[in-house]
Amino acid sequence: TIFSKLGNYPRALEFNLQRLKLVEKTNDKESLAGVLINIAAVYVYQEEYAKALNYYQKADSVIELHNIADYKYNIAINTGDVYNKLNLNDSAYYYFNKSLIIARQMKDDYYAGISMIGLGHSYLKTENFLLSMANYKSGLEYIKAANDDDLFCEATLGLATLYKKLNQTDSAIFYAKQSFYMAEKDGFLPRHLASVKFLA
């Protein structure tokens, strides 16, 4: 976890793979699912999305087979995110929607907000602008309430992209600037660069 936070992904991957070998010798299925998810997350950080998807699918199999409730939301939202990054929109939509159903069953507004941002991305890619906007804006309210600044940047940049496609330049710039200033304040370099690129 520390190496991941420091951006030393090869070392993070090395330790997670060592842990996987140890966990595979036990009957602890929850730990097995957890380490598979961690390995997938490191591959996401390295933008190796096909490898990430492979490990998320392995984790999903363990979670479903052993009915590990604590990981069901996590695996759904993260699998949706990887499919979204791979531009496999039908699969991304399926998992984002699945995660929203789980979040509502849990009565967790924050998780619901994360899922709605994902659905906003999916609907944007299929140019269903009305549903994209509805999900972005509803999700954004939940994200703001939870003070998740990183996801706030992602959501506002999504809205900026949506308004740009609608040729509503003022609104596009408004949301892009919100993403820019929040990313600058919190030091989210990738989000900051994305908003700079949008505003250029």
Side-chain angles (χ1 to χ4, degrees), residues 44-185:
V44 170
Y45 295 143
Q46 295 184 143
E47 300 182 2
E48 296 182 69
Y49 301 126
K51 289 181 180 178
L53 182 59
N54 180 43
Y55 278 94
Y56 278 139
Q57 288 172 335
K58 289 179 181 179
D60 194 24
S61 296
V62 174
I63 291 162
E64 289 300 316
L65 182 62
H66 299 282
N67 195 28
I68 305 172
D70 287 350
Y71 283 132
K72 286 190 174 182
Y73 179 83
N74 182 294
I75 195 66
I77 192 68
N78 285 311
T79 303
D81 181 58
V82 169
Y83 275 122
N84 182 58
K85 287 177 165 65
L86 288 168
N87 290 312
L88 297 170
N89 197 54
D90 287 348
S91 296
Y93 172 83
Y94 171 82
Y95 280 98
F96 284 141
N97 193 56
K98 181 179 180 180
S99 72
L100 181 58
I101 292 168
I102 295 168
R104 285 177 171 160
Q105 289 170 345
M106 296 169 68
K107 298 182 179 178
D108 191 312
D109 288 345
Y110 172 54
Y111 281 178
I114 298 171
S115 300
M116 288 175 183
I117 301 307
L119 286 168
H121 297 331
S122 287
Y123 285 122
L124 180 58
K125 286 184 176 180
T126 58
E127 298 192 342
N128 190 332
F129 299 136
L130 189 63
L131 284 176
S132 179
M133 187 180 298
N135 276 278
Y136 276 139
K137 289 194 171 181
S138 295
L140 189 57
E141 291 306 309
Y142 291 133
I143 296 308
K144 284 162 67 176
N147 295 312
D148 186 334
D149 293 349
D150 184 47
L151 201 54
F152 174 89
C153 293
E154 181 178 330
T156 48
L157 196 57
L159 276 166
T161 304
L162 170 59
Y163 278 113
K164 184 177 182 179
K165 285 181 176 290
L166 292 171
N167 294 315
Q168 297 183 28
T169 306
D170 288 348
S171 294
I173 292 172
F174 171 78
Y175 281 106
K177 283 184 175 179
Q178 285 201 334
S179 183
F180 172 86
Y181 289 125
M182 183 66 78
E184 187 175 55
K185 176 178 76 72

Side-chain angles (χ1 to χ4, degrees), residues 179-197:
S179 183
F180 172 86
Y181 289 125
M182 183 66 78
E184 187 175 55
K185 176 178 76 72
D186 288 349
F188 299 146
L189 184 59
R191 304 290 192 205
H192 189 253
L193 292 173
S195 57
V196 168
K197 183 178 178 181

